[in-house]
Amino acid sequence: MNKIKLKFLSGGKIIKAEASPGQTLSWVLFRAGLPIKLYCQGRGICGRCLVEIKSGPLPEETEAERKLKLERRLPPTFRLACQLRLYQPLIVRIPDELLLLPEIKNLAGKFPGSGRPALRDFNPLVKKYVLRLAREDLSREERLASVIKSTLGLKQLAFGPTAGHKQKNVGPSWRQSTAVIYDDRLLLALEAGRTDDRILGLALDLGTTTVSARLLDLVKGKTLASASAANLQAAFGADLISRIAFAVEKPGNLKKLRRAALKSIAQLTEVLAREAGVKTKWIYAVCLAGNAVMNHIFLNQPVDSLGRAPFRPAFLSHEPVPGLEVGLSLNPRAMVFTSPNLGGFVGGDISSGLLYTGLPSKAGNYLYVDLGTNGEIALKKGKKILVASTAAGPAFEGSGISCGQPALPGAIEYVKWSGDRFKYRTIGRKKPSGLCGSGLLSVLAESLRAGWLLPSGRITAGRSEIPVAPGLTLSQLDIRKLQLALAALKSGMRLLLSTAGLDWTELDGLYLAGVFGSSVDPGQCIAVGLLPPLPRRKIIFAGNASLAGAEMLLLSGQARKSAARLPLKVQHVSLAELENFQGEFLKALSLGRRYWRKNDV
Amino acid sequence: MKPEPNNHLQALSQAIVQGLVDEAGPLAEKAVAAGMKPLQVIEQACVPAIEEVGRLWEAGDYFLPELIAGAEAMKAAMTVLQEALKSSGQSLKSAGRVVIGTVEGDIHDIGKNLVASMLRASGFEVIDLGADVKVERFVETAEREKADIIALSALLTTTMLNQKRVVELLVSRGLKDKFKVMVGGAPVTEKFAREIGADGYGESAVQAVSVARSLLAGRGGNHD
């Protein structure tokens, strides 16, 4: 079949690509290494993947495109990448903001909160031991096994499938060998010579929108580098449900999702290794903290059951898997430890976040709220932990908000009303390009204070928008979307509290993890009504607690033990099925402190 | 203020627009006690009031809580007025009978409840089957209740295909012409509605009412 020649203009460069007749532009872009964000999973309804045809015959418009153009009065050269099918050579401009940036953010020193909490023990997931071996020890596997077991005092030690395969190349260097042992129970490899000064682990937070990773030296327990990047799966849908819908649509799609995640991880790993001046083949251990859907996709488990009520995961805890089996390009014998799912949409990112805060073993009553593309909530009371997920949606990641953007340089992260205008602060002190989650929350808080907004969410004085900065306004519809996201979280907290028979005044602390970095002001969170008006010292910003938890799992045997026990301690609550869900949700739509008033149940 | 009929109507109308659920019923009673005909109260106060609520919603002034409160206040007033009609031997002509529910696999029902409230407030008889409703149950209930419309809600891209299954079941049982099917929910679009063979699509609860009305325009109901 004849290939169609295409040229893409992107970021000041020209990228050439080829397509088969009838392929959609979005798919060709993905294959060409220019994945774009498809918010509605390529269904042609969100109208956000607009590209401009600079040259070439204009292909016929689909109905979705016609409708959108009528609504927005767009010129005929503006087309939807997810709808446009290719039959003729074209030159197409791809707007930068549409690209899923492979750009990788260095996170060095950017973790808010207290950094790593004191470890209860230093017992890395993978350790190295130097052995003195005689020639005859290496001749037979059984002999080698018994020598290693007795030398190290690890009676239960098993051999990985290819752990000893180098034993036949017996040379002088093998007299001194280094055994690589996973969790004191599995021999992963035997390296020639003394290599015990280098062994690395990778902590991974696989999120719906973002993948964050940290590279650790498992000898010293030191962080070598941290970075995050977009999850390339966003090319198949922005939110979890659209990813599930895509995965179950036809065979092979789950694999596409898996490959996209693996690609994101591989890119990140390479950057981390370069940054730290190490080789990726030194990485023997990975701790993965992914949300429930990401965990399933990563481990090649069917996601069907997560797409319909009662939204049950296919597994909670999962056995460690060889990295090679799941397609990670690290050391070929590397093992992956997965932080357990806790039920429904409460996944390994929450279990690792809970471990990071130490909440499961703390005395007292605590709430843990993770605000990301979903909003997950955990409530600890006594020995019990209740967990729930809410449909908060990605509004606080800036998605679906007219002036919203992710927390990147140029995003307004904080505002203060000065009496005649909003004073703002941007990330990196750059010119403002949009508002990120903390900025949006901040505008809501200050607008309420300044009288721009009523508690009902209505913009006052007959206006239809709030001007925040030059060219950046928050529309009434934006505010409605933020109200819905806030209400999902607020009602979720309150429903969990009432399920446990607890009042918010009885809380000893509240952890807020996720998209709001340390830039968010707890006072503004309270003013908007996102959080109950606890004393400030009780509100703890945990930042990317999932990643920090994954790091702990790499380093601490106690943490891994707690992780194994956690699913047994946890009770999952399906909020939407609670009798007072609707009433609570509607009440929570109002902005301001009122929702948390005492005795207003 | 003198208890003039117009004042009663105005007060009732305002109570509905402002969603004063506890006041709407007693105000309707007062209007009837003052000698006004129930039908007149409905036509001159209630209907314009709920239409005003819809207008305020569409304009962005009202959000979900105000819309629901308006519908609830309307319901309170209508309960009183229908009772009064009945005791004078009259009855209000139903705008149509609707079987509504959230499809199988989906437990989200706030949107569906909202549509049901607005339909009720607009004179429809509504049979609400709740959430996670099996395909067969929609069809069987519609037949048994001699419904005019089957209204299907889905909030997830993974469950909206069950809306299609309801249409397919109607076709396979030769019932497609007997009922109008309308669909809605966050991921549902007009295009999707057409593709699956639904007769109508509403983007919001307010739109759902006008869609339901237009679907039944010029057609006799299935019920008496």
Side-chain angles (χ1 to χ4, degrees):
Chain A
M1 213 187 312
N2 282 338
K3 290 278 182 188
I4 302 155
K5 299 223 181 296
L6 302 161
K7 280 182 190 167
F8 301 130
L9 311 179
S10 168
K13 278 186 289 190
I14 300 174
I15 294 123
K16 289 183 187 167
E18 288 187 339
S20 302
Q23 283 185 322
T24 59
L25 178 61
S26 55
W27 177 242
V28 176
L29 284 168
F30 182 73
R31 297 302 297 262
L34 289 171
I36 58 167
K37 295 169 199 160
L38 293 181
Y39 291 92
C40 69
Q41 196 201 338
R43 291 186 298 138
I45 55 175
C46 73
R48 298 186 63 175
C49 60
L50 279 175
V51 297
E52 187 187 358
I53 298 180
K54 300 299 275 188
S55 156
L58 294 180
E60 200 185 327
E61 288 179 353
T62 65
E63 203 181 314
E65 289 180 297
R66 266 194 295 278
K67 190 178 167 223
L68 187 75
K69 279 188 187 168
L70 282 178
E71 278 172 12
R72 298 201 200 154
R73 298 200 189 105
L74 292 166
T77 50
F78 279 78
R79 304 298 295 270
L80 292 177
C82 70
Q83 298 288 305
L84 195 155
R85 291 193 181 273
L86 298 158
Y87 295 99
Q88 304 276 345
L90 293 174
I91 300 177
V92 189
R93 186 180 67 84
I94 317 296
D96 289 348
E97 63 271 20
L98 206 55
L99 290 172
L100 256 172
L101 293 177
E103 179 186 299
I104 287 165
K105 248 199 317 184
N106 196 324
L107 298 175
K110 276 201 187 149
F111 279 89
S114 48
R116 186 194 306 154
L119 295 172
R120 275 187 287 166
D121 61 330
F122 181 68
N123 181 7
L125 185 55
V126 172
K127 292 195 282 276
K128 281 187 171 180
Y129 298 94
V130 177
L131 301 167
R132 296 207 158 272
L133 297 172
R135 172 180 280 268
E136 54 273 28
D137 293 338
L138 291 157
S139 61
R140 279 195 348 247
E141 191 159 297
E142 300 84 67
R143 165 130 194 177
L144 182 65
S146 75
V147 169
I148 296 177
K149 281 182 195 173
S150 62
T151 313
L152 303 179
L154 297 171
K155 287 195 190 94
Q156 303 299 320
L157 188 71
F159 267 49
T162 55
H165 91 266
K166 274 193 180 164
Q167 64 193 289
K168 292 187 183 74
N169 315 323
V170 182
S173 63
W174 287 88
R175 298 284 163 76
Q176 186 168 261
S177 294
T178 306
V180 186
I181 295 178
Y182 175 87
D183 204 17
D184 289 337
R185 60 189 166 95
L186 182 71
L187 180 72
L188 295 180
L190 204 54
E191 295 178 339
R194 187 174 180 148
T195 62
D196 61 331
D197 59 334
R198 57 170 192 241
I199 179 157
L200 306 179
L202 186 70
L204 257 184
D205 164 32
L206 183 54
T208 312
T209 312
T210 310
V211 188
S212 307
R214 230 181 242 190
L215 190 60
L216 282 108
D217 175 337
L218 296 186
V219 180
K220 301 193 187 87
K222 209 175 76 181
T223 299
L224 299 177
S226 308
S228 73
N231 185 341
L232 294 172
Q233 283 179 357
F236 305 105
D239 61 274
L240 287 172
I241 291 291
S242 59
R243 303 262 173 94
I244 296 172
F246 177 76
V248 301
E249 195 178 288
K250 59 178 176 216
N253 280 2
L254 186 65
K255 203 166 156 193
K256 282 185 187 168
L257 288 171
R258 234 163 67 73
R259 283 206 183 135
L262 286 171
K263 196 169 168 187
S264 299
I265 295 170
Q267 285 175 345
L268 261 182
T269 314
E270 260 161 49
V271 168
L272 291 175
R274 210 167 41 234
E275 175 106 346
V278 299
K279 295 204 163 68
T280 52
K281 68 173 184 192
W282 298 348
I283 303 174
Y284 269 106
V286 178
C287 273
L288 171 77
N291 67 48
V293 179
M294 292 302 121
N295 271 350
H296 280 67
I297 293 172
F298 185 85
L299 295 168
N300 214 5
Q301 298 283 328
V303 292
D304 314 39
S305 65
L306 289 169
R308 54 171 191 263
F311 308 103
R312 296 235 194 287
F315 63 93
L316 294 177
S317 295
H318 197 285
E319 277 297 297
V321 289
L324 209 54
E325 199 173 283
V326 288
L328 285 176
S329 46
L330 310 166
N331 185 291
R333 279 92 175 253
M335 292 293 286
V336 182
F337 177 96
T338 313
S339 195
N341 293 327
L342 299 175
F345 280 97
V346 186
D349 50 346
I350 304 305
S351 56
S352 69
L354 288 174
L355 291 169
Y356 166 68
T357 60
L359 192 146
S361 50
K362 270 198 169 90
N365 307 318
Y366 288 89
L367 258 181
Y368 176 92
V369 182
D370 186 327
L371 190 48
T373 317
N374 250 10
E376 294 96 345
I377 303 165
L379 173 65
K380 188 206 159 265
K381 182 202 179 192
K383 284 196 186 315
K384 230 183 176 155
I385 300 174
L386 299 179
V387 295
S389 63
T390 69
F396 280 103
E397 291 184 327
S399 185
I401 303 296
S402 62
C403 58
Q405 74 155 72
L408 294 170
I412 294 178
E413 57 175 354
Y414 179 81
V415 304
K416 193 96 196 159
W417 177 251
S418 68
D420 60 345
R421 67 186 184 88
F422 287 101
K423 286 188 178 161
Y424 53 80
R425 188 176 75 220
T426 63
I427 298 178
R429 305 287 189 269
K430 294 262 168 57
K431 195 169 156 269
S433 53
L435 281 95
C436 64
S438 57
L440 290 166
L441 192 95
S442 190
V443 171
L444 290 184
E446 288 298 285
S447 297
L448 281 170
R449 191 172 66 88
W452 278 95
L453 262 186
L454 296 173
S456 74
R458 177 70 180 139
I459 299 173
T460 51
R463 291 172 197 266
S464 59
E465 51 189 32
I466 299 176
V468 181
L472 294 175
T473 57
L474 208 59
S475 72
Q476 184 68 64
L477 188 62
D478 291 334
I479 289 165
R480 298 308 190 195
K481 286 180 181 168
L482 294 169
Q483 278 180 279
L484 290 172
L486 288 169
L489 284 162
K490 289 155 65 181
S491 60
M493 287 183 229
R494 220 152 132 167
L495 287 166
L496 270 197
L497 283 164
S498 64
T499 303
L502 215 56
D503 192 81
W504 65 263
T505 51
E506 295 169 80
L507 288 173
D508 295 296
L510 187 153
Y511 290 90
L512 189 61
V515 293
F516 294 142
S518 51
S519 58
V520 73
D521 174 352
Q524 291 188 334
C525 289
I526 291 169
V528 165
L530 169 62
L531 301 182
L534 292 163
R536 303 290 163 89
R537 67 188 157 78
K538 288 190 178 178
I539 298 174
I540 304 128
F541 290 98
N544 190 341
S546 306
L547 185 60
E551 185 181 357
M552 272 178 72
L553 288 168
L554 268 177
L555 298 176
S556 158
Q558 290 294 335
R560 292 192 293 276
K561 273 204 190 110
S562 307
R565 282 194 303 262
L566 200 51
L568 308 172
K569 282 190 181 180
V570 162
Q571 186 194 334
H572 181 263
V573 179
S574 173
L575 296 174
E577 285 174 289
L578 295 177
E579 206 187 324
N580 47 346
F581 174 68
Q582 175 167 329
E584 201 60 58
F585 181 81
L586 289 173
K587 260 196 265 171
L589 281 167
S590 74
L591 297 170
R593 295 160 179 268
R594 193 193 163 105
Y595 180 69
W596 297 102
R597 264 200 324 216
K598 284 166 211 175
N599 311 320
D600 183 21
V601 180
Chain B
M1 201 187 283
K2 277 195 292 179
E4 274 178 26
N6 273 346
N7 286 339
H8 287 302
L9 290 182
Q10 213 168 23
L12 175 58
S13 175
Q14 265 180 25
I16 293 171
V17 173
Q18 291 170 13
L20 306 173
V21 183
D22 298 335
E23 291 177 27
L27 282 168
E29 266 167 27
K30 266 189 204 162
V32 175
M36 299 183 70
K37 290 203 176 86
L39 268 179
Q40 188 193 359
V41 180
I42 292 171
E43 278 162 19
Q44 293 178 10
C46 297
V47 172
I50 198 71
E51 281 172 1
E52 174 67 2
V53 171
R55 195 193 64 74
L56 288 165
W57 160 269
E58 305 247 275
D61 287 334
Y62 273 14
F63 200 35
L64 300 173
E66 295 90 350
L67 188 63
I68 288 195
E72 293 290 315
M74 176 78 174
K75 189 171 136 193
M78 290 301 287
T79 308
V80 170
L81 294 167
Q82 269 165 336
E83 209 43 53
L85 271 176
K86 216 193 270 174
S87 57
S88 65
Q90 290 172 291
S91 74
L92 193 64
K93 192 174 176 303
S94 157
R97 191 171 283 181
V98 184
V99 168
I100 194 171
T102 304
V103 295
E104 191 174 344
D106 208 325
I107 50 170
H108 303 88
D109 65 357
I110 293 184
K112 181 266 299 169
N113 293 345
L114 201 60
V115 173
S117 299
M118 284 309 286
L119 286 171
R120 280 198 189 104
S122 309
F124 287 84
E125 296 168 82
V126 178
I127 299 139
D128 186 348
L129 299 180
D132 199 4
V133 179
K134 295 235 182 303
V135 172
E136 289 78 16
R137 207 164 146 231
F138 279 110
V139 176
E140 280 157 16
T141 312
E143 276 206 278
R144 192 179 60 240
E145 300 286 342
K146 296 192 171 59
D148 301 299
I149 293 178
I150 301 176
L152 307 166
S153 170
L155 268 294
L156 302 171
T157 36
T158 45
T159 56
M160 59 197 252
L161 286 176
N162 287 331
Q163 296 179 324
K164 186 178 170 189
R165 288 178 53 214
V166 175
V167 178
E168 285 168 351
L169 185 66
L170 286 172
V171 171
S172 76
R173 293 200 183 162
L175 296 169
K176 183 66 186 51
D177 296 332
K178 219 172 154 195
F179 309 109
K180 296 286 182 190
V181 176
M182 51 190 272
V183 294
V188 181
T189 61
E190 192 154 13
K191 181 166 164 264
F192 176 78
R194 248 197 330 272
E195 276 167 13
I196 65 168
D199 303 288
Y201 158 78
E203 200 172 0
S204 68
V206 173
Q207 251 190 38
V209 173
S210 52
V211 170
R213 280 211 184 101
S214 70
L215 285 179
L216 299 186
R219 141 188 175 142
N222 282 336
H223 60 281
D224 307 304

